[in-house]
Coordinates of all heavy atoms in Angstrom, one line a residue:
Chain A
P88 N 106.5 93.8 107.1 CA 107.3 92.8 106.3 C 106.4 91.6 105.9 O 105.8 91.0 106.7 CB 108.4 92.5 107.2 CG 108.7 93.7 107.9 CD 107.3 94.3 108.2
G89 N 106.5 91.3 104.6 CA 105.7 90.2 104.0 C 104.4 90.6 103.4 O 103.7 89.8 102.8
T90 N 104.0 91.9 103.6 CA 102.7 92.3 103.1 C 102.8 93.1 101.8 O 103.6 94.0 101.7 CB 102.1 93.3 104.2 OG1 102.2 92.7 105.5 CG2 100.6 93.5 103.9
F91 N 102.0 92.7 100.8 CA 102.0 93.3 99.5 C 100.7 93.4 98.8 O 100.6 93.4 97.6 CB 103.1 92.7 98.6 CG 103.0 91.2 98.5 CD1 102.3 90.6 97.5 CD2 103.7 90.4 99.5 CE1 102.2 89.2 97.4 CE2 103.6 89.0 99.4 CZ 102.9 88.4 98.4
R94 N 99.5 97.3 97.7 CA 100.2 97.7 96.5 C 99.6 97.2 95.3 O 99.3 97.9 94.3 CB 101.7 97.3 96.6 CG 102.5 97.7 95.3 CD 103.9 97.1 95.3 NE 103.9 95.6 95.5 CZ 103.5 94.8 94.5 NH1 103.2 95.2 93.3 NH2 103.5 93.5 94.7
E98 N 97.7 99.2 92.3 CA 98.2 99.1 90.9 C 97.2 98.6 89.9 O 97.1 99.0 88.8 CB 99.4 98.2 90.9 CG 100.7 98.9 91.5 CD 101.9 98.0 91.4 OE1 101.9 96.9 90.8 OE2 102.9 98.5 91.9
R125 N 102.7 105.3 100.6 CA 104.1 105.0 100.9 C 105.0 105.5 99.9 O 104.7 105.4 98.7 CB 104.2 103.4 101.0 CG 105.6 103.0 101.4 CD 105.8 101.6 101.6 NE 107.2 101.3 101.9 CZ 107.8 100.2 102.1 NH1 107.0 99.1 102.1 NH2 109.1 100.1 102.3
G126 N 106.1 106.2 100.3 CA 106.9 106.9 99.3 C 107.5 105.9 98.2 O 107.6 106.3 97.1
E127 N 107.8 104.7 98.7 CA 108.5 103.8 97.7 C 107.5 103.2 96.7 O 107.9 102.5 95.8 CB 109.1 102.6 98.5 CG 110.3 103.1 99.4 CD 109.9 103.4 100.8 OE1 108.7 103.7 101.0 OE2 110.7 103.3 101.7
F128 N 106.2 103.5 96.9 CA 105.2 102.9 96.0 C 104.9 103.9 94.8 O 103.8 104.4 94.7 CB 103.8 102.7 96.7 CG 103.8 101.4 97.5 CD1 104.9 100.6 97.7 CD2 102.6 101.0 98.1 CE1 104.9 99.4 98.5 CE2 102.6 99.8 98.9 CZ 103.7 99.0 99.1
L129 N 105.9 104.0 94.0 CA 105.8 105.0 92.9 C 104.7 104.6 91.8 O 104.0 105.4 91.3 CB 107.2 105.2 92.2 CG 107.4 106.5 91.5 CD1 107.3 107.7 92.5 CD2 108.7 106.6 90.8
E130 N 104.7 103.3 91.6 CA 103.7 102.8 90.5 C 102.3 102.8 91.1 O 101.4 103.2 90.3 CB 104.1 101.4 90.1 CG 103.3 100.8 89.0 CD 103.2 101.6 87.7 OE1 104.0 102.6 87.5 OE2 102.4 101.3 86.8
R133 N 101.2 106.4 90.8 CA 100.9 106.8 89.5 C 99.5 106.4 89.1 O 98.8 107.1 88.5 CB 102.0 106.2 88.5 CG 102.0 106.8 87.1 CD 103.1 106.2 86.3 NE 102.8 104.8 86.0 CZ 102.2 104.5 84.8 NH1 101.9 105.4 83.9 NH2 101.9 103.2 84.6
E136 N 96.9 108.2 91.3 CA 96.8 109.6 90.9 C 96.0 109.8 89.6 O 95.1 110.7 89.5 CB 98.2 110.2 90.6 CG 98.3 111.6 90.4 CD 99.8 112.0 90.2 OE1 100.5 112.4 91.2 OE2 100.3 112.0 89.1
R137 N 96.2 108.9 88.6 CA 95.4 108.9 87.4 C 94.0 108.6 87.6 O 93.1 109.2 87.0 CB 96.0 107.9 86.4 CG 97.3 108.5 85.9 CD 97.9 107.8 84.8 NE 99.2 108.6 84.5 CZ 99.8 108.5 83.4 NH1 99.4 107.8 82.4 NH2 100.9 109.3 83.2
H164 N 99.3 112.2 99.3 CA 100.5 112.7 100.1 C 101.5 111.5 100.1 O 101.2 110.4 100.5 CB 100.0 113.0 101.5 CG 101.1 113.6 102.4 ND1 101.3 115.0 102.4 CD2 102.0 113.1 103.2 CE1 102.3 115.2 103.3 NE2 102.7 114.1 103.8
H165 N 102.7 111.8 99.6 CA 103.7 110.7 99.6 C 104.5 110.7 100.9 O 105.0 111.7 101.3 CB 104.7 111.0 98.4 CG 104.1 111.0 97.1 ND1 104.0 109.9 96.3 CD2 103.5 112.0 96.4 CE1 103.4 110.2 95.1 NE2 103.1 111.5 95.2
G166 N 104.6 109.5 101.4 CA 105.5 109.3 102.6 C 107.0 109.4 102.2 O 107.3 109.7 101.0
A167 N 107.9 109.2 103.2 CA 109.3 109.4 102.8 C 110.2 108.3 103.4 O 111.3 108.6 103.7 CB 109.7 110.8 103.3
G168 N 109.6 107.1 103.6 CA 110.4 106.0 104.1 C 110.5 105.9 105.6 O 111.4 106.2 106.3
S169 N 109.3 105.5 106.2 CA 109.2 105.2 107.6 C 108.1 104.2 107.9 O 107.0 104.6 107.6 CB 109.0 106.5 108.4 OG 108.5 106.2 109.7
S181 N 102.8 112.8 110.5 CA 103.6 112.9 109.3 C 102.8 113.8 108.3 O 103.4 114.6 107.6 CB 103.9 111.5 108.7 OG 104.7 111.6 107.5
L182 N 101.5 113.6 108.2 CA 100.6 114.4 107.4 C 100.6 115.9 107.8 O 100.3 116.8 107.0 CB 99.2 113.8 107.4 CG 98.2 114.1 106.3 CD1 98.8 114.0 104.9 CD2 97.0 113.2 106.4
E183 N 100.9 116.1 109.1 CA 101.0 117.5 109.6 C 102.4 118.1 109.4 O 102.6 119.2 109.9 CB 100.6 117.5 111.1 CG 99.1 117.2 111.3 CD 98.7 117.4 112.8 OE1 99.6 117.8 113.6 OE2 97.6 117.1 113.1
G184 N 103.3 117.3 108.8 CA 104.6 117.8 108.5 C 105.6 117.6 109.7 O 106.5 118.4 109.8
K185 N 105.4 116.6 110.4 CA 106.2 116.3 111.6 C 106.9 115.0 111.5 O 106.7 114.2 110.6 CB 105.4 116.4 112.9 CG 104.8 117.7 113.1 CD 103.8 117.7 114.2 CE 103.0 119.0 114.3 NZ 101.8 118.9 115.1
R186 N 107.8 114.7 112.4 CA 108.4 113.4 112.5 C 107.3 112.4 112.7 O 106.3 112.6 113.5 CB 109.4 113.3 113.7 CG 110.6 114.1 113.5 CD 111.4 114.3 114.8 NE 112.1 113.1 115.2 CZ 113.4 112.8 114.9 NH1 114.0 113.6 114.1 NH2 113.9 111.7 115.3
G187 N 107.4 111.2 112.1 CA 106.3 110.2 112.2 C 106.4 109.4 113.5 O 106.9 108.3 113.6
Y202 N 95.0 117.8 112.7 CA 94.8 119.2 113.1 C 93.8 119.2 114.3 O 93.1 120.2 114.5 CB 94.4 120.1 112.0 CG 95.1 119.9 110.7 CD1 94.4 119.6 109.6 CD2 96.4 120.1 110.6 CE1 95.0 119.4 108.3 CE2 97.1 119.9 109.4 CZ 96.3 119.6 108.2 OH 97.0 119.4 107.0
S245 N 104.5 84.6 100.9 CA 105.9 84.8 100.4 C 106.9 83.9 101.2 O 106.5 83.1 102.1 CB 106.3 86.2 100.5 OG 106.5 86.6 101.8
K247 N 109.4 80.7 101.4 CA 109.8 79.4 100.7 C 108.5 78.6 100.2 O 108.2 77.5 100.7 CB 110.6 78.5 101.7 CG 111.9 79.1 102.0 CD 112.9 78.9 100.9 CE 114.3 79.3 101.2 NZ 115.0 78.5 102.3
R274 N 108.6 75.2 98.8 CA 109.5 75.2 97.6 C 110.3 73.9 97.6 O 110.9 73.5 98.6 CB 110.4 76.4 97.7 CG 110.6 77.0 96.3 CD 111.7 78.1 96.5 NE 111.1 79.4 96.1 CZ 111.8 80.3 95.5 NH1 113.1 80.2 95.5 NH2 111.3 81.4 95.1
V320 N 106.7 82.0 104.9 CA 107.0 80.5 105.1 C 108.5 80.3 105.2 O 109.2 80.7 104.3 CB 106.3 79.7 104.0 CG1 106.7 78.2 104.2 CG2 104.8 79.8 104.1
D325 N 115.8 76.4 107.1 CA 116.0 77.8 107.5 C 116.1 77.9 109.1 O 115.6 77.1 109.8 CB 114.8 78.7 107.1 CG 114.7 78.7 105.6 OD1 115.8 78.9 104.9 OD2 113.6 78.6 105.0
R333 N 116.8 89.0 111.9 CA 116.6 89.9 110.8 C 115.4 90.8 111.1 O 115.5 92.0 110.8 CB 116.5 89.1 109.5 CG 116.3 90.1 108.3 CD 117.5 90.9 108.1 NE 117.4 92.0 107.1 CZ 116.9 93.2 107.3 NH1 116.5 93.5 108.5 NH2 116.8 94.1 106.3
W334 N 114.4 90.2 111.6 CA 113.2 91.0 111.9 C 113.4 92.0 113.1 O 112.9 93.1 113.1 CB 111.9 90.1 112.1 CG 111.2 89.8 110.8 CD1 111.3 90.6 109.7 CD2 110.4 88.7 110.5 NE1 110.5 90.0 108.7 CE2 110.0 88.8 109.2 CE3 110.0 87.6 111.3 CZ2 109.1 87.9 108.6 CZ3 109.1 86.7 110.6 CH2 108.7 86.8 109.3
F337 N 115.1 94.9 111.8 CA 114.1 95.7 111.1 C 113.4 96.6 112.2 O 113.3 97.9 112.0 CB 113.0 94.8 110.4 CG 111.8 95.6 110.1 CD1 111.7 96.4 109.0 CD2 110.6 95.4 110.8 CE1 110.5 97.1 108.6 CE2 109.4 96.1 110.5 CZ 109.4 96.9 109.4
H425 N 124.6 83.0 108.4 CA 123.9 84.2 108.6 C 123.2 84.7 107.3 O 123.2 85.9 107.0 CB 124.8 85.3 109.1 CG 125.9 84.7 109.9 ND1 125.6 83.9 111.0 CD2 127.3 84.8 109.9 CE1 126.8 83.6 111.6 NE2 127.8 84.1 110.9
L427 N 120.2 85.4 106.5 CA 119.1 86.3 106.6 C 119.5 87.7 107.2 O 118.7 88.6 107.2 CB 117.9 85.7 107.4 CG 117.5 84.3 106.9 CD1 116.3 83.9 107.7 CD2 117.1 84.3 105.4
Q428 N 120.6 87.7 107.9 CA 121.0 89.0 108.5 C 121.2 90.1 107.6 O 121.7 89.9 106.4 CB 122.3 88.8 109.3 CG 122.1 87.9 110.5 CD 123.4 87.6 111.3 OE1 124.2 88.5 111.4 NE2 123.6 86.4 111.7
A429 N 120.9 91.3 108.0 CA 121.2 92.5 107.2 C 122.7 92.6 107.0 O 123.5 92.2 107.8 CB 120.7 93.7 107.9
A430 N 123.1 93.1 105.8 CA 124.5 93.2 105.5 C 125.1 94.5 106.0 O 126.3 94.5 106.2 CB 124.7 93.1 103.9
T431 N 124.3 95.5 106.2 CA 124.9 96.8 106.7 C 124.2 97.0 108.1 O 123.2 96.5 108.4 CB 124.6 97.9 105.8 OG1 123.2 98.0 105.5 CG2 125.3 97.8 104.5
R433 N 122.0 98.2 110.9 CA 120.6 98.7 111.0 C 120.5 99.5 112.3 O 120.0 98.9 113.3 CB 119.6 97.6 110.9 CG 119.7 96.6 109.7 CD 118.9 97.1 108.5 NE 119.6 98.0 107.7 CZ 119.0 98.7 106.8 NH1 117.7 98.6 106.5 NH2 119.7 99.6 106.0
S439 N 120.3 108.3 110.8 CA 120.5 109.4 109.9 C 120.5 110.8 110.6 O 120.6 111.8 110.0 CB 119.3 109.4 108.9 OG 118.1 109.6 109.6
I441 N 121.9 113.9 112.9 CA 123.1 114.7 112.8 C 124.2 114.1 113.7 O 123.9 113.9 114.9 CB 122.8 116.1 113.1 CG1 121.7 116.6 112.1 CG2 124.0 117.0 113.0 CD1 120.7 117.6 112.7
Chain B
Y19 N 97.0 122.1 101.2 CA 96.7 121.5 102.5 C 96.0 122.6 103.4 O 96.2 123.8 103.2 CB 98.0 121.1 103.2 CG 98.7 120.0 102.6 CD1 99.7 120.3 101.6 CD2 98.4 118.7 102.9 CE1 100.4 119.2 101.0 CE2 99.1 117.6 102.3 CZ 100.1 117.9 101.3 OH 100.7 116.9 100.7
P20 N 95.2 122.1 104.3 CA 94.5 123.0 105.2 C 95.5 123.9 106.1 O 95.1 125.0 106.4 CB 93.7 122.1 106.2 CG 93.5 120.8 105.4 CD 94.8 120.7 104.6
R21 N 96.6 123.3 106.4 CA 97.6 124.1 107.1 C 99.0 124.0 106.4 O 99.4 122.9 106.0 CB 97.7 123.6 108.6 CG 96.4 123.8 109.3 CD 96.6 123.6 110.8 NE 95.3 123.7 111.4 CZ 95.1 123.4 112.7 NH1 96.1 123.1 113.5 NH2 93.9 123.5 113.2
R23 N 102.1 123.8 107.3 CA 103.2 122.8 107.7 C 103.0 121.5 107.1 O 104.0 120.7 106.9 CB 103.2 122.7 109.2 CG 104.3 121.8 109.6 CD 104.7 121.9 111.1 NE 105.8 120.9 111.3 CZ 106.6 120.9 112.3 NH1 106.5 121.8 113.3 NH2 107.6 120.0 112.4
S24 N 101.8 121.1 106.7 CA 101.6 119.8 106.0 C 102.4 119.7 104.7 O 102.6 118.6 104.3 CB 100.1 119.5 105.7 OG 99.4 119.2 106.9
L26 N 105.4 120.3 104.5 CA 106.9 120.2 104.8 C 107.5 119.0 104.1 O 108.6 119.1 103.5 CB 107.1 120.1 106.3 CG 108.5 119.9 106.8 CD1 109.5 120.8 106.1 CD2 108.6 120.1 108.3
L27 N 106.8 117.8 104.1 CA 107.4 116.6 103.4 C 107.5 116.9 101.9 O 108.6 116.6 101.3 CB 106.6 115.4 103.7 CG 107.1 114.5 104.9 CD1 107.0 115.3 106.2 CD2 106.4 113.2 105.0
Y31 N 111.1 117.1 99.4 CA 111.3 116.5 98.1 C 111.6 117.5 97.1 O 112.4 117.3 96.2 CB 110.0 115.7 97.7 CG 109.9 114.3 98.3 CD1 108.7 114.0 99.0 CD2 110.9 113.4 98.2 CE1 108.6 112.7 99.5 CE2 110.8 112.1 98.7 CZ 109.6 111.8 99.4 OH 109.5 110.5 99.9
Q60 N 115.0 120.4 110.1 CA 116.0 119.4 110.1 C 115.6 118.1 110.9 O 115.9 117.0 110.5 CB 117.2 120.0 110.8 CG 118.6 119.5 110.4 CD 119.7 120.4 110.9 OE1 119.5 121.3 111.7 NE2 120.9 120.2 110.3
A61 N 114.9 118.4 112.0 CA 114.4 117.3 112.8 C 113.5 116.3 112.0 O 113.5 115.1 112.1 CB 113.6 117.8 114.0
V62 N 112.7 116.9 111.1 CA 111.8 116.1 110.2 C 112.6 115.5 109.1 O 112.5 114.3 108.9 CB 110.7 117.0 109.7 CG1 109.8 116.2 108.7 CG2 109.8 117.6 110.8
T64 N 115.6 114.5 109.0 CA 116.5 113.4 109.4 C 115.8 112.2 109.8 O 116.3 111.1 110.1 CB 117.4 113.9 110.5 OG1 116.6 114.4 111.6 CG2 118.4 114.9 110.0
F65 N 114.4 112.3 110.0 CA 113.6 111.2 110.4 C 113.4 110.2 109.3 O 113.2 109.0 109.5 CB 112.3 111.7 111.0 CG 111.4 110.6 111.6 CD1 111.7 110.1 112.9 CD2 110.4 110.0 110.9 CE1 110.9 109.1 113.4 CE2 109.6 109.0 111.4 CZ 109.8 108.6 112.7
Y66 N 113.3 110.7 108.1 CA 112.8 109.9 107.0 C 114.0 109.5 106.0 O 114.8 110.3 105.6 CB 111.8 110.7 106.1 CG 110.6 111.0 106.9 CD1 110.5 112.3 107.6 CD2 109.5 110.2 107.0 CE1 109.3 112.6 108.3 CE2 108.4 110.5 107.8 CZ 108.3 111.7 108.4 OH 107.1 112.0 109.1
T67 N 114.0 108.2 105.7 CA 115.2 107.6 105.0 C 115.2 108.1 103.5 O 116.2 108.0 102.8 CB 115.2 106.1 105.0 OG1 114.0 105.6 104.6 CG2 115.5 105.6 106.4
M68 N 114.1 108.5 102.9 CA 114.1 108.8 101.5 C 114.6 110.3 101.2 O 114.8 110.6 100.1 CB 112.7 108.7 100.9 CG 112.3 107.2 100.7 SD 110.6 106.9 100.3 CE 110.5 107.5 98.6
Y69 N 114.8 111.0 102.3 CA 115.5 112.3 102.1 C 117.0 112.0 102.3 O 117.4 111.6 103.3 CB 115.0 113.3 103.2 CG 113.6 113.6 103.1 CD1 112.7 113.5 104.1 CD2 113.0 114.0 101.8 CE1 111.4 113.8 104.0 CE2 111.7 114.3 101.7 CZ 110.8 114.1 102.8 OH 109.5 114.4 102.7
R71 N 120.8 113.2 102.6 CA 121.5 114.4 103.1 C 122.9 114.5 102.6 O 123.6 115.3 102.9 CB 121.5 114.4 104.7 CG 120.0 114.6 105.2 CD 119.9 114.7 106.7 NE 120.8 115.7 107.2 CZ 121.9 115.4 108.0 NH1 122.1 114.2 108.3 NH2 122.6 116.4 108.4
T83 N 116.5 93.5 101.9 CA 117.1 92.3 102.5 C 116.2 91.8 103.7 O 116.7 91.1 104.6 CB 118.5 92.5 102.9 OG1 118.5 93.5 104.0 CG2 119.4 92.9 101.8
N84 N 115.0 92.2 103.7 CA 114.1 91.7 104.8 C 113.9 90.2 104.5 O 114.2 89.7 103.5 CB 112.8 92.5 104.9 CG 112.2 92.5 106.3 OD1 111.8 91.4 106.7 ND2 112.2 93.6 107.0
V85 N 113.2 89.5 105.5 CA 113.2 88.1 105.5 C 112.7 87.4 104.2 O 113.3 86.5 103.7 CB 112.4 87.6 106.8 CG1 112.2 86.1 106.7 CG2 113.1 88.0 108.0
S86 N 111.5 87.9 103.7 CA 111.0 87.3 102.5 C 112.0 87.3 101.3 O 112.0 86.3 100.5 CB 109.7 87.9 102.1 OG 108.7 87.7 103.1
A88 N 115.4 87.8 101.8 CA 116.6 87.1 102.3 C 116.5 85.6 102.2 O 117.5 84.9 101.9 CB 116.9 87.5 103.7
L89 N 115.3 85.1 102.4 CA 115.1 83.6 102.3 C 115.4 83.1 100.9 O 115.7 82.0 100.7 CB 113.6 83.3 102.6 CG 113.2 83.3 104.0 CD1 111.7 83.2 104.2 CD2 113.9 82.1 104.8
V90 N 115.3 84.0 99.9 CA 115.6 83.6 98.5 C 116.9 84.3 97.9 O 117.0 84.5 96.8 CB 114.4 83.7 97.6 CG1 113.3 82.7 97.9 CG2 113.8 85.1 97.6
R93 N 120.7 88.7 100.3 CA 122.0 89.1 100.9 C 123.1 89.1 99.8 O 123.8 90.1 99.7 CB 122.4 88.2 102.1 CG 123.5 88.8 102.9 CD 123.9 87.8 104.0 NE 125.2 88.1 104.6 CZ 125.4 88.9 105.6 NH1 124.4 89.5 106.2 NH2 126.6 89.2 106.0
F96 N 122.4 92.0 97.4 CA 122.9 93.3 97.9 C 124.4 93.4 97.8 O 124.9 94.4 97.3 CB 122.4 93.5 99.3 CG 123.0 94.7 99.9 CD1 122.7 96.0 99.5 CD2 124.0 94.6 100.9 CE1 123.3 97.1 100.0 CE2 124.7 95.7 101.4 CZ 124.3 97.0 101.0
E111 N 120.8 99.4 101.1 CA 120.1 98.2 101.6 C 118.9 98.8 102.3 O 118.9 99.7 103.1 CB 121.0 97.5 102.7 CG 120.3 96.2 103.3 CD 121.2 95.4 104.2 OE1 122.1 96.0 104.8 OE2 121.0 94.2 104.3
E113 N 114.5 98.1 103.8 CA 113.6 97.2 104.5 C 112.5 96.9 103.5 O 112.4 97.4 102.4 CB 113.0 97.8 105.8 CG 114.1 98.0 106.8 CD 114.8 96.7 107.3 OE1 114.3 95.6 107.0 OE2 115.9 96.8 107.9
C114 N 111.6 96.0 103.9 CA 110.5 95.4 103.0 C 109.9 96.4 102.1 O 109.4 97.5 102.5 CB 109.4 94.7 103.8 SG 108.2 93.9 102.9
L115 N 109.9 96.2 100.8 CA 109.4 97.1 99.8 C 108.0 96.7 99.4 O 107.4 97.3 98.5 CB 110.3 97.1 98.6 CG 111.7 97.8 98.8 CD1 112.6 97.5 97.6 CD2 111.5 99.3 99.0
G116 N 107.4 95.7 100.1 CA 106.0 95.4 99.8 C 105.7 94.8 98.4 O 104.7 95.1 97.7
A117 N 106.7 93.9 98.0 CA 106.5 93.2 96.7 C 107.1 91.8 96.9 O 107.8 91.3 96.0 CB 107.1 94.0 95.6
C118 N 106.8 91.2 98.0 CA 107.5 89.9 98.4 C 107.2 88.8 97.5 O 107.9 87.8 97.5 CB 107.2 89.6 99.8 SG 107.0 91.0 100.9
D119 N 106.2 88.9 96.7 CA 105.9 87.8 95.7 C 107.0 87.8 94.6 O 107.1 86.8 93.9 CB 104.5 87.9 95.1 CG 104.2 89.3 94.5 OD1 104.9 90.3 95.0 OD2 103.4 89.4 93.6
Q125 N 114.7 98.0 93.6 CA 114.1 99.2 93.0 C 115.2 100.1 92.4 O 116.3 100.2 93.0 CB 113.3 100.0 94.0 CG 112.0 99.4 94.4 CD 111.1 100.3 95.2 OE1 111.7 101.2 96.0 NE2 109.8 100.2 95.1
N127 N 115.3 104.0 91.6 CA 114.5 105.2 91.9 C 113.0 104.8 92.1 O 112.1 105.4 91.5 CB 114.7 106.2 90.7 CG 116.1 106.8 90.7 OD1 116.8 106.7 91.7 ND2 116.5 107.3 89.6
Y128 N 112.8 103.8 92.9 CA 111.4 103.4 93.3 C 110.6 102.7 92.3 O 109.4 102.6 92.4 CB 110.7 104.5 94.1 CG 111.6 105.2 95.1 CD1 112.1 106.5 94.9 CD2 112.0 104.5 96.2 CE1 113.0 107.0 95.8 CE2 112.9 105.0 97.1 CZ 113.4 106.3 96.9 OH 114.3 106.8 97.8
R156 N 106.9 96.6 86.0 CA 105.6 97.2 85.7 C 105.8 98.7 85.5 O 106.7 99.3 86.2 CB 104.6 96.9 86.8 CG 104.2 95.5 87.0 CD 103.3 95.3 88.2 NE 104.0 95.8 89.5 CZ 104.9 95.1 90.1 NH1 105.3 93.9 89.6 NH2 105.5 95.5 91.2
G157 N 105.0 99.2 84.7 CA 105.0 100.7 84.6 C 106.1 101.2 83.8 O 106.9 100.5 83.3
P158 N 106.2 102.6 83.7 CA 107.2 103.2 82.8 C 108.6 103.1 83.5 O 108.7 102.8 84.6 CB 106.7 104.6 82.7 CG 105.9 104.9 83.9 CD 105.2 103.5 84.2
L170 N 107.6 112.8 93.7 CA 107.2 112.5 95.1 C 106.8 113.8 95.9 O 106.1 113.7 96.9 CB 108.4 111.9 95.8 CG 108.7 110.4 95.4 CD1 110.1 110.0 95.9 CD2 107.6 109.5 95.9
D175 N 103.1 112.9 87.9 CA 104.0 111.9 87.2 C 103.7 111.9 85.8 O 102.7 111.5 85.3 CB 103.7 110.5 87.8 CG 104.7 109.5 87.4 OD1 105.4 109.7 86.4 OD2 104.8 108.5 88.1
R177 N 105.4 110.5 83.4 CA 106.0 109.4 82.7 C 104.9 108.6 81.9 O 103.9 108.3 82.5 CB 106.8 108.5 83.6 CG 108.0 109.1 84.3 CD 108.6 108.2 85.3 NE 107.6 107.8 86.3 CZ 107.5 106.6 86.8 NH1 108.4 105.7 86.6 NH2 106.6 106.3 87.7
G178 N 105.2 108.1 80.7 CA 104.4 107.2 79.9 C 102.9 107.1 80.0 O 102.3 107.4 80.9

Side-chain angles (χ1 to χ4, degrees):
Chain A
T90 315
F91 48 94
R94 179 187 55 76
E98 285 183 4
R125 182 172 176 184
E127 295 92 335
F128 280 6
L129 206 62
E130 183 60 8
R133 193 178 72 96
E136 188 179 270
R137 288 188 180 202
H164 185 89
H165 298 266
S169 161
S181 184
L182 198 46
E183 290 184 6
K185 299 169 187 163
R186 291 165 75 90
Y202 317 120
S245 69
K247 293 286 187 65
R274 221 184 236 212
V320 175
D325 296 317
R333 182 62 187 88
W334 271 336
F337 164 77
H425 327 308
L427 308 182
Q428 292 177 37
T431 52
R433 306 268 85 191
S439 63
I441 301 148
Chain B
Y19 296 93
R21 296 195 187 172
R23 182 164 179 164
S24 282
L26 179 45
L27 268 65
Y31 277 127
Q60 209 164 15
V62 175
T64 53
F65 183 81
Y66 298 94
T67 55
M68 287 171 70
Y69 299 125
R71 293 183 54 244
T83 64
N84 204 295
V85 172
S86 294
L89 282 168
V90 291
R93 192 181 163 92
F96 172 71
E111 180 175 28
E113 297 299 346
C114 185
L115 291 168
C118 323
D119 52 333
Q125 286 188 329
N127 293 343
Y128 310 110
R156 291 173 303 284
L170 290 166
D175 190 340
R177 299 172 303 146

